[in-house]
């Protein structure tokens, strides 16, 4: 019996790799960790032609130009472990995307076989891949398969056997880059030759060392010895090659982009020559939608229209349930007050408990719950249908130019529903530096809690036409997006310097959302999560607000005293002391800013609501408001410190006082500067 062999199983996520693994190994499998790593890898055994084989299923990865822990594991295992064959599983319905990984694996080793899986799905979509021509262009065997039915597995086992026993010798085609990069690669290869012992292609090691990836360099030293970069030939050739590239204008970022562009171009060329497809009716509709949603001239206008529609539905739809809840809560507060007085509780204590703590708590619930119950499902609907990833794709380039990660586009979009949800969404960003940038700047995105105030002020002071008001609101949202870009650029150029990471944003197919599942997940993961955190802060805030409004000092309340003290600062940024104090006391939720301001303007001992926009405008103008005050209030509403729920979430996500404070300073500085400029000019 021949000595046991090891086979690696690689591929993009969602290509049926696990199905292939299960089909080959059956029940002879287990899960374990690669030594020194925390990511699980599946291992299994099979027997073929008197030979024992171990099959190692590596984590799904889009590229060996790694960013996540799973991708680093797959790359390092491929580069530094011993094995006899690599099976690269690709999706026959999306060959172009999958070829990027195949071309990179071919640079590491010639012991590779490509398994063209999901061939039955490709047939249903009228996609035909010429496997013979594909094999010729790659220089490695290509097998057409449908793993779930076992089709092609026997042929795969035969190729594995031939390659593992050196009976079949592959000649993978070399992927060439620019002359400048090729010269640098050859120089590094000469330095490595004879100084490291490996059966892998030195070309791949040279490419990665020139990339100057800290993670790869650490793995390289760990495998070949900590002093490998002290070797004269290795160090000298590598430094000279890097210096030559820098003289030719190849920064580290440009080098990586050039490598990636060459890989994508080659993959595109091969796919164009080997894939024939006749689009189905559904695919033609999807392409038509993509031309609209991601078109050069249509993407941004359509994105704004979609957001405008979602915001209009949210605001219009939440008014009635909010009014209903406020009516129910008002009746409950009256009943509670009467009940407490009936059992002998003093009026002062009743006022504190009911008009202070309970009123603020119930007000937060009444104003936050309905908009969240509408916005979050609509937002999830856009995501589930496949629109949100395309919006992120449209914004990716702008965030990239700001030195941030393209995934920040997704977290920014989440912030329109709730900044706390946007902050937790930053977990999808792999780079710690870029994750912090996204967390800090998320509060520059106006959440749905700020829209009622913005809509009310726009309608009162600028235009009462709903269509024009919506256009003005979209203009303010555009300002917030531009400010997010500017803040991201400033942060990545100062306290959070670094090279932007690359990532693969896979655009999912359009699909019919599962409405009930979507609503259930949204309620559990977002609405309840945000509401509970808001309630935790609302109760003590209600106590503070009541104390300030009901304790007199020199014939006036503490609330008015503090507002008077803040008035010079408020005037400097186009507001007044009352509205500035209202923003400060509105820390539990942005929705209670106007009621607190009314409480101060009308000198009542509890938060007050307004009966109509006309009555509210009268109160505000009687207290000195102008259109400049209204504009500055809108700007400051968009750009000020995060609400309590968001701030608590930032602390929990970063565990850092520094980043939490910077998350307060960044939006506050933006609001103060813009408002001060508006006040100075007008």
């Amino acid at each position: 019996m021949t000595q046991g062999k090891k086979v690696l199983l690689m591929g993009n996520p969602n290509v049926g790799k696990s199905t292939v693994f299960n089909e080959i190994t059956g029940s002879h499998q287990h899960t374990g960790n690669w030594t020194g790593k925390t990511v699980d890898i599946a291992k299994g055994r099979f027997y073929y032609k008197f030979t024992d084989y171990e099959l190692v299923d590596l984590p799904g990865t889009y590229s060996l130009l790694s960013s996540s822990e799973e991708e680093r594991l797959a790359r390092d295992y491929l580069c530094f472990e011993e094995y006899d064959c690599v099976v690269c599983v690709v999706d026959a319905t999306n060959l172009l995307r999958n070829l990027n990984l195949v071309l990179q694996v071919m640079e590491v080793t010639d012991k590779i076989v490509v398994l063209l899986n999901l061939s039955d799905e490709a047939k249903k979509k009228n996609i035909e891949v010429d496997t013979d021509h594909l094999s010729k262009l790659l220089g490695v065997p290509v097998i057409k398969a449908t793993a779930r039915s076992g089709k092609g597995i026997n042929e795969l086992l035969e190729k594995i056997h031939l390659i593992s026993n050196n009976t079949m010798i592959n000649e993978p085609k070399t992927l060439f880059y620019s002359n400048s990069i090729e010269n640098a690669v050859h120089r590094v290869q000469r330095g490595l030759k004879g100084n490291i012992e490996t059966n892998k292609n030195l070309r791949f090691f040279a490419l990665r060392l020139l990339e100057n990836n800290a993670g790869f360099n650490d793995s390289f030293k760990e495998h070949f010895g900590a002093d490998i970069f002290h070797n004269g030939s290795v160090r000298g050739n590598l430094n000279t090659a890097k210096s030559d590239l820098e003289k030719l204008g190849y920064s580290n970022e440009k080098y990586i982009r050039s490598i990636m562009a060459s890989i994508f171009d080659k993959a595109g060329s091969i796919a164009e020559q080997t894939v024939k497809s006749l689009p189905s009716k559904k695919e033609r509709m999807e392409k038509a939608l993509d031309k609209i949603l991601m078109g050069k001239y249509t993407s941004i206008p359509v994105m704004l229209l979609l957001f405008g529609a979602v915001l209009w539905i949210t605001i219009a739809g939440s008014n009635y349930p909010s009014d209903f809840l406020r009516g129910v809560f008002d009746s409950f507060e009256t009943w509670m007050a009467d009940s407490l007085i009936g059992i002998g509780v003093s009026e002062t204590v009743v006022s504190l408990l009911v008009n202070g703590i309970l009123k603020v708590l119930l007000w937060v619930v009444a104003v936050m719950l309905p908009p969240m119950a509408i916005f979050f499902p609509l937002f999830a609907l856009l995501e589930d249908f496949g629109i949100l990833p395309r919006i992120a794709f449209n914004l990716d380039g702008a965030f990239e130019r700001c030195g941030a990660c393209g995934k920040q586009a997704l977290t920014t979009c989440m912030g329109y529903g709730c900044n706390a949800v946007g902050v937790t969404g930053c977990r999808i960003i792999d780079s710690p530096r870029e994750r912090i940038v996204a967390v800090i700047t998320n509060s520059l995105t106006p959440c749905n809690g700020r829209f009622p105030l913005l809509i009310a002020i726009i309608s009162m002071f600028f235009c009462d036409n709903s269509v024009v008001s919506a256009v003005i609101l979209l203009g303010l949202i555009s300002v917030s997006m531009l400010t997010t870009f500017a803040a991201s650029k400033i942060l990545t150029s100062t306290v959070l310097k670094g090279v932007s990471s690359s990532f693969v944003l896979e655009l999912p197919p359009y699909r019919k959302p599962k409405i009930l599942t979507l609503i259930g997940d949204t309620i559990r993961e977002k609405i309840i999560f945000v509401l509970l955190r808001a309630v935790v802060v609302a109760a003590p805030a209600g106590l503070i607000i009541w104390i300030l409004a009901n304790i007199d000092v020199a014939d006036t309340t503490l609330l008015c005293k503090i507002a008077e003290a803040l008035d010079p600062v408020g005037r400097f940024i186009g507001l007044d002391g009352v509205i500035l104090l209202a923003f400060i006391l509105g820390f539990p939720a942005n929705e209670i800013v106007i009621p607190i301001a009314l409480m101060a303007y009308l000198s009542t001992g509890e938060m007050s609501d307004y009966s109509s926009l006309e009555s509210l405008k009268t109160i505000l103008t009687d207290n000195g408001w102008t259109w400049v005050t209204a504009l500055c209030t809108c700007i400051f509403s968009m750009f000020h410190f995060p609400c309590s729920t968001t701030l608590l979430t930032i602390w929990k996500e970063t565990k850092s006082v520094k980043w939490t404070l910077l998350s307060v300073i960044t939006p506050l500085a933006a609001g103060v500067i813009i408002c001060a400029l508006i006040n100075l000019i007008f």
Side-chain angles (χ1 to χ4, degrees):
M1 185 173 67
T2 308
Q3 185 179 0
K5 305 287 185 180
K6 181 184 287 187
V7 180
L8 304 188
L9 195 60
M10 298 193 70
N12 290 182
N14 305 314
V15 296
K17 195 159 54 69
S18 297
T19 306
V20 175
F21 179 81
N22 293 333
E23 184 68 25
I24 293 176
T25 61
S27 60
H28 306 288
Q29 53 188 266
H30 67 279
T31 301
N33 288 338
W34 185 25
T35 305
K37 308 296 179 182
T38 58
V39 179
D40 288 340
I41 56 177
K43 295 182 179 180
R45 307 198 71 84
F46 67 96
Y47 183 76
Y48 186 78
K49 288 192 174 180
F50 308 106
T51 306
D52 279 320
Y53 288 90
E54 180 183 37
L55 185 62
V56 180
D57 184 12
L58 296 179
T61 177
Y62 291 105
S63 171
L64 299 182
L65 305 174
S66 57
S67 57
S68 70
E69 178 66 19
E70 289 83 359
E71 289 172 329
R72 285 193 291 271
L73 186 149
R75 178 204 64 196
D76 288 356
Y77 206 111
L78 181 73
C79 292
F80 303 120
E81 293 295 306
E82 296 298 324
Y83 49 84
D84 301 283
C85 182
V86 179
V87 178
C88 212
V89 184
V90 302
D91 180 356
T93 67
N94 200 337
L95 183 64
L96 173 59
R97 184 191 68 197
N98 287 243
L99 280 175
N100 296 320
L101 179 63
V102 174
L103 293 172
Q104 292 174 58
V105 174
M106 285 167 48
E107 288 186 319
V108 180
T109 178
D110 59 356
K111 292 178 171 294
I112 176 176
V113 55
V114 175
L115 185 70
L116 195 66
N117 194 30
L118 303 175
S119 295
D120 57 334
E121 294 293 327
K123 187 176 181 180
K124 290 178 184 177
K125 295 183 178 181
N126 298 319
I127 298 173
E128 183 181 342
V129 180
D130 187 341
T131 52
D132 292 335
H133 192 39
L134 178 60
S135 177
K136 181 179 178 181
L137 291 175
L138 294 175
V140 300
V142 178
I143 299 168
K144 187 178 291 187
T146 302
R148 61 170 163 254
S149 65
K151 182 180 178 181
I153 297 300
N154 287 335
E155 186 180 353
L156 172 64
L157 294 177
E158 181 62 22
K159 295 297 184 185
I160 290 174
H161 183 72
L162 293 175
I163 293 172
S164 297
N165 291 282
N166 297 316
T167 307
M168 171 186 283
I169 306 298
N170 293 332
E171 295 182 356
K173 305 297 183 182
T174 302
L175 175 60
F176 289 101
Y177 303 100
S178 68
N179 289 335
S180 302
I181 291 178
E182 288 296 332
N183 291 335
V185 168
H186 291 154
R187 180 179 290 277
V188 177
Q189 279 184 266
R190 288 198 302 271
L192 294 174
K193 191 173 183 180
N195 290 306
I196 63 172
E197 294 184 9
T198 180
N199 57 0
K200 311 301 188 304
N201 195 336
L202 293 181
R203 178 181 175 81
F204 183 82
F205 289 117
L207 284 164
R208 296 291 76 77
L209 291 175
L210 286 169
E211 181 185 324
N212 201 29
N213 180 288
F216 181 82
N217 288 350
D218 289 342
S219 298
F220 191 79
K221 287 190 292 184
E222 182 181 339
H223 186 75
F224 293 113
D227 60 345
I228 182 64
F229 290 118
H230 297 293
N231 180 287
S233 179
V234 174
R235 184 182 69 250
N237 283 34
L238 180 59
N239 289 341
T240 301
K242 286 181 179 179
S243 177
D244 290 344
L245 285 174
E246 288 174 2
K247 290 176 182 177
L248 294 169
Y250 279 89
S251 62
N252 196 56
E253 184 177 353
K254 182 181 177 181
Y255 172 82
I256 295 171
R257 293 190 181 283
S258 180
I259 294 291
M260 294 175 66
S262 297
I263 294 172
F264 290 151
D265 288 345
K266 184 64 175 179
S269 174
I270 293 174
E272 186 177 357
Q273 296 179 63
T274 57
V275 179
K276 296 179 181 178
S277 63
L278 181 63
S280 63
K281 183 179 179 180
K282 179 184 176 184
E283 289 172 321
R284 288 195 296 271
M285 289 178 62
E286 289 183 353
K287 287 184 178 179
L289 276 174
D290 279 345
K291 285 183 179 179
I292 296 172
L293 291 171
M294 298 191 294
K296 182 177 180 181
Y297 301 107
T298 59
S299 58
I300 300 301
V302 169
M303 180 181 71
L304 291 174
L305 284 174
L306 281 172
F307 270 116
V310 169
L311 294 175
W312 179 80
I313 293 171
T314 301
I315 294 167
S318 62
N319 285 335
Y320 299 107
S322 284
D323 290 341
F324 172 76
L325 286 176
R326 276 205 290 264
V328 172
F329 290 157
D330 284 344
S331 300
F332 177 73
E333 289 166 18
T334 302
W335 174 83
M336 179 62 72
D338 292 341
S339 299
L340 291 173
I341 291 173
I343 61 175
V345 179
S346 70
E347 290 187 6
T348 301
V349 174
V350 170
S351 178
L352 185 151
L353 293 176
V354 177
N355 297 330
I357 297 173
L358 185 62
K359 181 178 283 292
V360 171
L361 191 152
L362 294 180
W363 198 303
V364 168
V365 173
V367 296
M368 286 187 71
L369 183 57
M372 287 194 300
I374 296 172
F375 183 90
F376 285 143
L378 287 175
F379 195 79
L381 194 67
L382 292 178
E383 183 177 12
D384 216 36
F385 186 71
I387 292 177
L388 192 59
R390 286 162 173 83
I391 292 175
F393 177 84
N394 294 332
L395 297 175
D396 171 52
F399 278 105
E400 190 177 15
R401 285 191 289 274
C402 294
C405 176
K407 290 181 182 178
Q408 188 175 333
L410 286 169
T411 64
T412 300
C413 291
M414 293 177 189
Y416 286 108
C418 174
N419 296 128
V421 174
V423 169
T424 57
C426 295
R427 296 171 187 171
I428 65 175
I429 300 175
D430 297 313
S431 164
R433 180 188 70 86
E434 292 168 348
R435 191 183 312 127
I436 294 297
V437 172
V439 167
I440 292 172
T441 58
N442 200 269
S443 293
L444 293 167
T445 303
C447 66
N448 74 74
R450 310 184 206 186
F451 292 130
L453 182 148
L454 293 172
I455 291 290
I457 292 178
I458 290 170
S459 300
M460 288 185 295
F461 287 90
F462 299 103
C463 182
D464 58 1
N465 181 283
S466 60
V467 175
V468 178
S469 295
V471 172
I472 294 173
L473 178 59
L474 285 175
L476 290 174
I477 292 173
S478 299
V479 170
S480 77
M481 184 61 73
L482 293 174
T483 307
T484 299
F485 292 146
S488 299
K489 184 65 176 178
I490 292 170
L491 288 170
T492 56
S493 301
T494 54
V495 294
L496 286 163
K497 283 184 179 180
V499 179
S500 299
S501 64
S502 61
F503 77 102
V504 177
L505 178 61
E506 181 179 0
L507 295 179
Y510 295 99
R511 60 191 177 192
K512 184 179 179 181
K514 298 178 180 178
I515 303 295
L516 293 179
T517 302
L518 181 148
I519 292 174
D521 291 343
T522 302
I523 292 173
R524 183 180 63 257
E525 297 175 6
K526 295 181 180 177
I527 296 176
I528 293 177
F529 163 79
V530 174
L531 203 57
L532 286 176
R533 287 197 174 177
V535 166
V536 166
V537 184
L543 174 62
I544 294 171
I545 292 170
W546 184 91
I547 291 172
L548 293 177
N550 288 273
I551 293 182
D552 291 340
V553 177
D555 298 327
T556 187
T557 63
L558 275 174
L559 189 72
C560 292
K561 279 286 185 183
I562 297 172
E564 185 179 340
L566 289 174
D567 199 61
V569 179
R571 299 288 178 186
F572 174 72
I573 58 176
L575 309 177
D576 61 25
V578 169
I579 194 66
L580 183 57
L581 179 58
F583 276 113
I584 295 171
L585 295 179
F587 179 61
N590 292 292
E591 293 88 342
I592 63 175
V593 169
I594 286 293
I596 293 173
L598 289 178
M599 180 173 64
Y601 284 138
L602 300 175
S603 299
T604 60
E606 60 184 74
M607 288 199 310
S608 305
D609 200 359
Y610 51 91
S611 57
S612 66
L613 288 180
E614 290 78 10
S615 64
L616 176 60
K617 184 177 181 181
T618 299
I619 295 170
L620 296 178
T621 53
D622 286 348
N623 283 275
W625 276 52
T626 66
W627 71 270
V628 176
T629 313
L631 179 59
C632 289
T633 301
C634 287
I635 295 296
F636 201 74
S637 176
M638 292 198 303
F639 308 130
H640 65 282
F641 44 82
C643 71
S644 59
T645 309
T646 303
L647 199 63
L648 181 60
T649 304
I650 291 171
W651 163 251
K652 286 182 176 293
E653 292 296 313
T654 64
K655 293 292 188 295
S656 166
V657 174
K658 174 183 177 182
W659 301 131
T660 303
L661 286 176
L662 195 55
S663 299
V664 173
I665 294 169
T666 299
L668 185 59
V672 169
I673 291 170
I674 297 174
C675 288
L677 288 174
I678 291 173
N679 190 46
L680 181 66
I681 294 170
F682 299 105

